[in-house]
Amino acid sequence: MAGVGLDAYLAGRVGSSLKQRFGLLAFWLTGLVHFWRYPLPRFQVRMGGECLVGTQAVVANGSRYGGGLRLTPQGDLSRRGFEVCVFQSQSHLRYLVYLLRGFSGSHLSLPDVVYRQACSVHIEGDAAVPVQLDGEPSGGLPVSIQVLEKRLEVFVRSTGLGVRTQEGRLSAGFRLQNTDS
């Protein structure tokens, strides 16, 4: 699972001691403190010849996100490809609606939420827009995500953030590669 925008911003502010002590609850506590501080900048999401503008994007192959949210409710781990959910509002109040409706998956009926299935996505925008992979901060934009045979590759610009990898692979099955070269 990859997230661009608000979720990555919050993931970057969760302290390791808070994570160890409270687990998933640490992300919710951090959200209460930092939610209003994130400016919700716009970025471009390109897939299948389409270009969307969003302020949050979730790319996943599963249907569950963050312990109960169903942001990609049609996700199926046995199917090739992944689900892409793009939130377009720059209003924090609207994000509260996204959150509440995200528990049931009913956010998909909102006019400012776009949901697609894809095998390749490129997201670009200001380099300060954060990216997270499975809840871990993973740099900033641009990011390219492609489904490959039995694995998912994620290309991100180099950040020097020290994302731990073994032979370029994260334990979640992602492979990071620098898009600067």
Side-chain angles (χ1 to χ4, degrees):
M1 186 277 299
V4 176
L6 177 63
D7 67 338
Y9 171 79
L10 295 175
R13 273 137 191 86
V14 177
S16 59
S17 62
L18 194 62
K19 264 195 243 185
Q20 288 175 345
R21 186 166 182 184
F22 294 104
L24 185 61
L25 182 59
F27 289 91
W28 291 100
L29 294 172
T30 300
L32 289 174
V33 174
H34 294 280
F35 171 74
W36 299 100
R37 297 177 185 169
Y38 186 65
L40 300 169
R42 294 183 190 271
F43 51 80
Q44 295 77 43
V45 180
R46 299 179 192 283
M47 60 188 150
E50 184 176 25
C51 181
L52 302 168
V53 174
T55 55
Q56 168 68 38
V58 174
V59 180
N61 56 355
S63 62
R64 299 282 179 183
Y65 172 94
L69 287 171
R70 296 180 48 81
L71 299 183
T72 54
Q74 297 168 21
D76 182 347
L77 296 174
S78 67
R79 188 176 60 226
R80 181 172 162 77
F82 45 74
E83 312 300 303
V84 181
C85 187
V86 179
F87 299 90
Q88 298 180 311
S89 179
Q90 285 191 294
S91 164
H92 286 87
L93 292 176
R94 186 65 170 173
Y95 265 77
L96 295 176
V97 173
Y98 294 159
L99 175 65
L100 293 175
R101 296 201 48 186
F103 284 103
S104 66
S106 65
H107 63 290
L108 300 185
S109 66
L110 297 172
D112 53 353
V113 175
V114 180
Y115 193 82
R116 301 281 188 268
Q117 293 178 339
C119 286
S120 177
V121 176
H122 181 74
I123 305 173
E124 56 191 23
D126 190 303
V129 175
V131 176
Q132 60 88 8
L133 300 174
D134 283 339
E136 296 297 324
S138 302
L141 294 180
V143 63
S144 291
I145 306 169
Q146 294 181 316
V147 174
L148 302 176
E149 194 61 38
K150 299 192 181 198
R151 67 180 183 265
L152 176 67
E153 280 194 354
V154 179
F155 299 92
V156 298
R157 67 178 181 81
S158 63
T159 63
L161 292 179
V163 175
R164 291 178 289 161
T165 65
Q166 179 180 0
E167 296 179 21
R169 286 185 171 75
L170 291 174
S171 61
F174 292 95
R175 188 170 68 151
L176 298 179
Q177 200 166 357
N178 185 337
T179 59
D180 293 338
S181 47

